[in-house]
Amino acid sequence: MREKHLTQSAGSVDAASERSSFADAVGYYLSLQPRQLPSRYFYDALGSALFEAICRLPWYPVTRAETRLPECHARAILSHLDPLSTVIELGSGSGGKLGLLIALGRRSPNPLTVHLVDVSPTALAAASDALSRLEATTVVTHALRYEEGMAQIASRPRTSCRNVVLFLGSNIGNFDRPGAAAFLRAIGSSMAEGDGLLVGTDLVKSERDLLLAYDDPLGVTAAFNRNLLVRINRELDGDFDLDAFAHRALWNGAESRVEMHLVCTRPQQVTIPASGLDFTMPDGESIWTESSYKYRPEGVAAMLEHAGFLVVAQWIDGGFALTLASRSA
Ligand code: AVJ
């Protein structure tokens, strides 16, 4: 039997205001010392495709670990959330992990509404396509940043059944520690008592393995990183000399994070008219493009409890942790 496919698109930012906020952010962050760019801008159509390729690399274990966890524990995870009516996934990417969780873990085919919040329209299209094939499932997409998406979802009427918020793929790793704590609190404030939060975190492991994951021998991560400059050149009329930037990944043990940088290897003048920028970059100066924080299992639990959650269960596999918490009273 063929099921009904239900998908709606609830919100997105229009292209002109998207471009102008990108231009402003680039102007602001590239003027800081050290120069920076926010990692959320990696995900244009090409960047999203490169990220999907990263997820298939043998050196990037995050996605495989996080696919195995719901494969093994989907029933256990969802049994804590019965009766579930609404799933909200922040940073859904292509939606594969959520699809597995629902397909394997759902006991009764009660109608389920799935809200997907992601800045990448390409990723949302793939995810809603995959998820709307599930039985009795309505998919609503929000092409917005996490906070805006959460606010839009919270403004809708809710049922008395349970909601669960999924924050998988180690997406929380892009926040620094205080930022992650504040973000979890903000999510908690839009949840009702008994609602669930499932968080995926990459764990601290050997420096060698961490660096291989972020500086792979095929150069896919390097392309993903440099694509940010490609995007600035294309969308904001920038003139970065792409050949003159080297990809660098490093482990910052004191901060417990992998950092990605783009190091200038030939002195150059950079102009980005849409951002009001005109500056020189000497040989060796770098642009810091991403931080990916790594956790210890007990650190995740402490952070959640501190943000007003009760930890229900934690599953660990392949250097990765999935932690289920519920909103405390
Ligand atoms: C999507 C933020 C979880 O930090 O591992 C992958 C992005 N950057 N390779 C991560 C990423 C370089 C990824 N997150």
Side-chain angles (χ1 to χ4, degrees), residues 1 5 20 26 28 32 43 61 63-64 67 74 119 162 169 210 230-233 277 289 297 300 311 317:
M1 191 182 80
H5 293 184
S20 94
V26 166
Y28 175 78
L32 296 177
Y43 303 93
T63 317
R64 264 180 317 280
T67 306
V119 287
R162 285 199 161 127
L210 284 169
V230 176
R231 182 175 182 186
I232 291 173
N233 283 358
L277 288 175
T289 52
V300 180
V311 174
D317 181 10

Side-chain angles (χ1 to χ4, degrees), residues 34 211 214-215 225 247-253 255-262 286-294:
L211 292 182
Y214 290 85
D215 192 2
N225 197 9
H247 169 69
R248 277 281 169 292
L250 59 92
W251 169 242
N252 182 334
E255 297 286 346
S256 193
R257 69 187 183 212
V258 176
E259 296 175 7
M260 297 207 313
H261 299 266
L262 289 163
S286 65
I287 303 172
W288 178 13
T289 52
E290 186 171 48
S291 291
S292 201
Y293 285 79
K294 304 302 167 188

Side-chain angles (χ1 to χ4, degrees), residues 50 61 68 78 85 103 119 129 136 146 158 160 164 198 203 222 227 274 276 283 317-318:
L50 288 168
R68 264 193 319 265
L78 292 192
S85 64
V119 287
D129 197 49
Y146 301 140
R158 61 167 287 160
S160 56
V164 63
L198 188 64
L203 301 176
N227 178 54
D283 186 14
D317 181 10

Side-chain angles (χ1 to χ4, degrees), residues 43 51 54 60 169-171 174 213-214 221 224 260 290 292 294:
Y43 303 93
F51 179 65
I54 288 174
Y60 188 77
S170 198
N171 288 333
N174 281 157
Y214 290 85
T221 310
F224 174 73
M260 297 207 313
E290 186 171 48
S292 201
K294 304 302 167 188

Side-chain angles (χ1 to χ4, degrees), residues 25-26 28-39 42 225-226 228-230 232-233 240-242 244-250 259-265 268 270 272 277 279-282 284-291:
V26 166
Y28 175 78
Y29 284 96
L30 276 184
S31 303
L32 296 177
Q33 278 309 322
R35 297 190 196 278
Q36 298 170 39
L37 285 169
S39 51
F42 280 134
N225 197 9
R226 246 189 244 110
L228 199 43
L229 303 183
V230 176
I232 291 173
N233 283 358
F240 279 111
D241 179 358
L242 301 170
F245 281 91
H247 169 69
R248 277 281 169 292
L250 59 92
E259 296 175 7
M260 297 207 313
H261 299 266
L262 289 163
V263 186
C264 176
T265 56
Q268 60 188 283
V270 178
I272 308 172
L277 288 175
F279 59 93
T280 49
M281 278 197 87
E285 187 179 1
S286 65
I287 303 172
W288 178 13
T289 52
E290 186 171 48
S291 291

